[in-house]
Amino acid sequence: MKGLPSALRRRKRYIAFRIIAERKFEQKEIVSALMDSLIKTFGEFGSANTGVWVEYFNGEKGIIRCYNDAIDKVKVALTLINRIRDVKVILLTLGVSGTIKRCKKKYLEV
C-alpha cells in the first residue's frame, strides 16, 4: 500500500515569500516565528490543521508548504510577523503555486 488514496489526501500549496531585514535568518527562526504568529492569531486548534512547513529558504527568499484550505491563514500570519528575535522584519508574499518546481521558477528565479 503506497499511502492514502488521492480522494483522502489533502492538497498542498506552496507560498513564495521574501524577507526584508537588517540581517539574514536561519530556516528554524522563520519556522518558529511563523508558528508563533499562527498560534497567536488563530489559536492552537486553528493553526494545527494548516500543515505548515518551510520547504526552502536561502536567507532572503523562501517557500512555505501548507494545505490548500489554509492558504489565507498562512498569508495573514506571515504579514503579521514584524519582529524576529528583536530585529524588525517585513515578510512579503510573492505568490502561490501548486508545485514546488513551478513556485521556484516563477517567484524565486532559482
Side-chain angles (χ1 to χ4, degrees):
M1 197 163 149
K2 282 196 109 172
L4 293 173
S6 61
L8 298 177
R9 210 172 321 144
R10 294 180 74 178
R11 301 176 81 189
K12 297 180 187 94
R13 290 294 178 264
Y14 299 91
I15 301 171
F17 70 95
R18 179 173 176 234
I19 186 168
I20 301 171
E22 295 175 357
R23 73 171 182 93
K24 302 273 185 187
F25 292 98
E26 292 182 25
Q27 182 170 330
K28 62 183 176 183
E29 293 174 304
I30 301 298
V31 171
S32 177
L34 180 57
M35 290 308 296
D36 287 346
S37 180
L38 276 167
I39 290 170
K40 285 178 186 173
T41 308
F42 301 105
E44 288 183 19
F45 183 75
S47 61
N49 291 327
T50 57
V52 169
W53 189 248
V54 177
E55 287 285 334
Y56 169 83
F57 185 66
N58 68 2
E60 181 186 356
K61 294 181 180 179
I63 297 174
I64 296 171
R65 180 189 72 208
C66 69
Y67 291 131
N68 188 31
D69 54 356
I71 292 171
D72 292 333
K73 283 184 180 181
V74 175
K75 286 167 81 175
V76 166
L78 264 178
T79 58
L80 291 176
I81 297 172
N82 56 13
R83 285 188 173 274
I84 299 176
R85 293 190 181 243
D86 295 329
V87 177
K88 288 183 180 181
V89 297
I90 299 171
L91 280 157
L92 303 171
T93 302
L94 301 175
V96 179
S97 181
T99 64
I100 254 186
K101 184 178 178 181
R102 183 69 177 157
C103 197
K104 280 185 179 180
K105 185 177 177 184
K106 190 171 182 180
Y107 301 112
L108 304 184
E109 295 96 27
V110 174

